[in-house]
């Protein structure tokens, strides 16, 4: 018995000494199939955590349970709760909104027409995002840049309108999520937390990006777009800005280097990405050159 106690004491001492190393990196998560199964079973019997990471072959997913103001019931009399899902499949990152019901999920938003949600990070200014219906979930417009913003935040608020015309307000606590994701090497986890920002993609001749959604008249979008254009006009190296007929943005730059153009386009994309009413595409015109060179870029999505 004494020998067993001695071995236990030595094991505790070794663990304590290992924990004292300041240079030791955070342990990586065991990503074997056996470990994933054990973690899944543990989550079923310990649902207290509002954040869950799922790492399966071909998919990496972070799920955050949210809270809502008031009581919301679907058409089948089921009470539901909101979930934010950060997902990676085949190297594509996306942010999804799901409403979890006692059995499966539900779709409480209007079944037809355009869907939008107001999203704010850490109590800041809210931005309108288009929601796309995808099976039993809604895809939130924004892609990888939005996902990175969520990982950098502490709290997220989301507001939209349900099919029965009720205001739905949801709150999500995402504190510690980026640190938890850092333990995974598989699929997009490293890309999510990488220091470098996604870059605008240069478009080839004849290639274009997805059209901007139709804007209803009288929605005050014109003033907002004018404010956005003026803000981009203040980017270093930009001499003029204009909205094109397809609602892509034109930047005038004089004799700019490739590095200056890339920096200006990236900053303009950052300002535009919270405005789904515009085409996420930028044209750069050399206003002082003699060749009238036009370069076209697609903003990272």
């Amino acid at each position: 018995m004494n020998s067993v106690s001695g071995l236990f004491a030595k094991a505790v001492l070794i663990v304590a000494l290992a924990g004292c190393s300041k240079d030791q990196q955070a342990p990586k998560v065991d990503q074997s199939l056996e470990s994933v199964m054990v973690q899944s079973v543990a989550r079923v019997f310990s649902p207290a955590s509002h954040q869950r990471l799922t790492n399966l072959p071909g998919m990496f997913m972070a799920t955050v349970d949210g809270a809502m103001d008031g009581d919301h019931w679907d058409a089948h009399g089921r009470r539901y709760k909101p979930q934010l899902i950060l997902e990676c499949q085949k190297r594509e990152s996306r942010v999804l909104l799901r409403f979890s019901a006692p059995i499966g999920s539900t779709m409480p938003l209007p079944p037809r027409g355009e869907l939008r949600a107001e999203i704010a990070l850490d109590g800041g200014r809210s931005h309108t995002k288009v929601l796309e219906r995808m099976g039993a979930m809604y895809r939130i417009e924004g892609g990888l840049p939005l996902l990175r913003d969520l990982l950098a935040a502490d709290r997220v608020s989301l507001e939209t309108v349900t099919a029965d015309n009720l205001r739905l307000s949801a709150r999500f606590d995402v504190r510690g999520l980026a640190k938890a994701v850092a333990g995974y090497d598989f699929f997009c986890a490293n890309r999510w937390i990488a220091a470098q920002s996604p870059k605008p993609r240069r478009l080839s001749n004849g290639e274009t990006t997805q059209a901007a959604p139709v804007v209803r008249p009288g929605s005050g979008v014109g003033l907002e777009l004018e404010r956005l254009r003026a803000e981009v006009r203040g980017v270093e190296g930009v001499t003029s800005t204009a909205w094109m007929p397809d609602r892509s943005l034109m930047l005038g730059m004089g004799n700019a280097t490739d590095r200056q153009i890339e920096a200006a386009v990236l900053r303009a994309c950052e300002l535009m990405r919270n405005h789904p009413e515009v085409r996420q595409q930028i044209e750069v015109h050399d206003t002082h050159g003699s060749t009238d060179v036009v370069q076209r870029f697609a903003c990272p999505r």
Side-chain angles (χ1 to χ4, degrees), residues 29-40:
V29 177
D30 183 356
Q31 299 175 139
S32 64
L33 181 58
E34 295 83 357
S35 176
V36 170
M37 293 175 65
V38 169
Q39 293 174 54
S40 298

Side-chain angles (χ1 to χ4, degrees), residues 95-223:
V95 180
L96 303 168
L97 174 64
R98 179 178 183 267
F99 294 96
S100 175
I103 300 177
S105 60
T106 186
M107 301 284 283
L109 305 187
R112 289 178 295 276
E114 187 177 72
L115 300 178
R116 291 176 177 248
E118 299 290 329
I119 295 180
L121 306 180
D122 295 329
R125 176 172 173 243
S126 63
H127 297 281
T128 302
K129 297 290 185 182
V130 173
L131 304 181
E132 175 189 353
R133 300 173 185 85
M134 291 190 61
M137 292 182 282
Y138 305 92
R139 181 173 183 168
I140 304 177
E141 186 267 343
L144 181 58
L146 173 61
L147 191 148
R148 287 173 179 267
D149 288 344
L150 296 180
L151 287 178
D154 288 335
R155 291 180 174 82
V156 180
S157 64
L158 181 148
E159 290 196 359
T160 187
V161 178
T162 64
D164 48 357
N165 204 31
L166 293 177
R167 192 73 179 174
L168 187 153
S169 299
R171 300 176 303 280
F172 303 89
D173 184 348
V174 293
R175 289 175 296 178
L177 185 59
K179 184 177 180 180
V181 166
Y184 288 80
D185 291 326
F186 202 46
F187 278 83
C188 294
N190 281 347
R191 183 182 178 210
W192 288 0
I193 59 175
Q196 66 270 21
S197 299
K199 303 295 183 184
R201 179 174 61 88
R202 189 183 298 272
L203 294 171
S204 58
N205 291 336
E207 186 182 4
T208 187
T209 60
Q210 183 179 0
V214 176
V215 178
R216 292 183 295 272
S219 58
V221 172
L223 291 176

